[in-house]
Amino acid sequence: MDVSLFSNRYFVRCMTEKDIAEIYALCRNNALYYKHCPPFVTEQSIADDMKVLPPNKDHSDKYYIGYYDKDKLIAVMDLINKFPNEKTAFIGFFMTDISVQNKGVGSEIIHELCAYLKEYGLSAVRLGWVKGNPQAEHFWHKNGFAETGVTYDTDNYTVIVAQREL
Ligand SMILES: CC(C)(COP(=O)(O)OP(=O)(O)OC[C@H]1O[C@@H](n2cnc3c(N)ncnc32)[C@H](O)[C@@H]1OP(=O)(O)O)[C@@H](O)C(=O)NCCC(=O)NCCS
């Protein structure tokens, strides 16, 4: 996949360890998210997330990316290609900067991403949100994601698995 084609509006690139401080600055302001999905973010948890992979996947299918509006980081996403199957992409994490929220930026990013992934040949995008997080649930419903009926429990919360067909 060519991440530079994920958006026409924003500059998109793969993030590295050098970007952790900038990602942390974006994440730490999203208190509502971490209330539902503890523990609260740290620079170490971002470093860990940059490396973590689902079962039976390797780094070639992982895209931990940043979206830039000129020089400003406005969104972060963790995308796994071909998971849980060859025709599906999985969004493990998506967050916009609090300064741009509720202006349609997140929806525009997802709209452009889905168009790219369809063109690339995938047929679905899957993700999960924490049960009871109103912001995440509203956002993903608004963007065409529907509950699959699958949920799973972690120690701290329940995850609702949802999918959008492309
Ligand atoms: C979810 C998120 C990515 C949306 O980004 P955004 O740039 O604000 O997206 P948009 O402006 O396109 O849409 C936001 C929608 O959420 C709604 N919303 C915002 N806060 C809300 C809340 N507390 N409860 C319910 N809905 C809420 C907005 O009203 C808007 O919907 P509308 O257009 O129907 O009014 C952003 O809020 C975020 O990063 N949240 C923290 C991380 C997160 O929850 N990520 C997804 C979880 S997997």
Side-chain angles (χ1 to χ4, degrees):
M1 292 202 288
D2 182 349
V3 301
S4 72
L5 301 178
F6 280 14
S7 176
N8 293 315
R9 168 96 183 261
Y10 302 108
F11 172 64
V12 185
R13 69 170 173 85
C14 291
M15 305 300 264
T16 71
E17 289 192 351
K18 290 182 191 144
D19 301 307
I20 288 176
E22 200 178 9
I23 297 165
Y24 177 65
L26 182 151
C27 293
R28 66 197 290 263
N29 290 319
N30 276 287
L32 181 71
Y33 176 80
Y34 295 106
K35 185 177 152 235
H36 291 282
C37 192
F40 194 73
V41 64
T42 62
E43 295 203 2
Q44 185 59 53
S45 71
I46 294 168
D48 294 344
D49 286 348
M50 280 179 158
K51 293 186 196 124
V52 75
L53 289 166
N56 305 318
K57 295 299 294 182
D58 66 47
H59 283 282
S60 62
D61 281 331
K62 178 168 171 107
Y63 298 86
Y64 194 103
I65 54 176
Y67 285 76
Y68 285 83
D69 186 2
K70 301 191 180 74
D71 288 340
K72 184 178 165 59
L73 180 67
I74 53 112
V76 179
M77 182 185 291
D78 186 359
L79 182 94
I80 308 291
N81 189 18
K82 299 181 185 167
F83 181 79
N85 58 55
E86 289 290 305
K87 286 288 188 183
T88 303
F90 186 84
I91 298 175
F93 179 69
F94 178 55
M95 185 174 274
T96 55
D97 190 87
I98 201 137
S99 68
V100 303
Q101 285 179 12
N102 302 322
K103 296 174 180 170
V105 169
S107 296
E108 185 184 16
I109 286 172
I110 298 303
H111 175 77
E112 288 194 304
L113 175 72
C114 287
Y116 174 85
L117 295 175
K118 184 176 182 175
E119 184 72 26
Y120 178 77
L122 299 187
S123 55
V125 180
R126 187 176 292 209
L127 49 77
W129 66 73
V130 171
K131 187 176 181 182
N133 181 346
Q135 188 182 49
E137 183 183 296
H138 182 95
F139 176 75
W140 292 120
H141 279 160
K142 175 185 161 185
N143 282 283
F145 287 79
E147 286 86 341
T148 59
V150 176
T151 64
Y152 60 90
D153 293 324
T154 73
D155 288 345
N156 295 319
Y157 49 81
T158 298
V159 176
I160 296 178
V161 178
Q163 183 157 313
R164 172 171 160 173
E165 307 305 322
L166 297 175

